[in-house]
Amino acid sequence: GISQSTLRELNILSTMRGCFNIPDLIDVRTIVDRGLTFINIMMTYHSGDLRGFILKVPFLERLKYAKIIFEQILSAMLHLYYAG
């Protein structure tokens, strides 16, 4: 079957649809093959993520973007709060 954490994350992504700072969930398909359940998730493409940014960009350069990153995180949290 599908784990509760997977269902929870899919629900959050569905709820966050339309939030500027979260990739849109386009499609989810469940495939059962030989007793194993697989989930294919299609999302909008983004060239990078926060983890990649932290790993690639030097610390002093990252500091310049701290305010923008926190604004994006808080904006996403506000969107989730109002979405219920």
Side-chain angles (χ1 to χ4, degrees):
I2 302 169
S3 71
Q4 289 294 329
S5 60
T6 300
L7 293 174
R8 188 172 39 252
E9 289 188 30
L10 289 172
N11 182 50
I12 291 170
L13 285 171
S14 178
T15 301
M16 298 298 288
R17 187 173 284 153
C19 179
F20 180 74
N21 300 308
I22 305 293
D24 279 333
L25 182 64
I26 297 172
D27 191 24
V28 177
R29 295 179 188 213
T30 305
I31 301 166
V32 179
D33 183 22
R34 293 175 267 190
L36 297 174
T37 304
F38 300 92
I39 296 179
N40 287 341
I41 300 171
M42 184 181 299
M43 301 175 75
T44 52
Y45 176 78
H46 285 268
S47 60
D49 59 20
L50 183 57
R51 183 176 187 275
F53 175 79
I54 290 170
L55 292 174
K56 293 177 186 170
V57 178
F59 178 75
L60 293 176
E61 185 70 19
R62 287 194 315 255
L63 286 178
K64 296 177 186 178
Y65 294 94
K67 181 180 177 187
I68 295 168
I69 292 168
F70 278 106
E71 285 176 349
Q72 290 177 350
I73 291 169
L74 292 174
S75 171
M77 290 174 64
L78 188 65
H79 184 94
L80 184 58
Y81 174 79
Y82 283 112

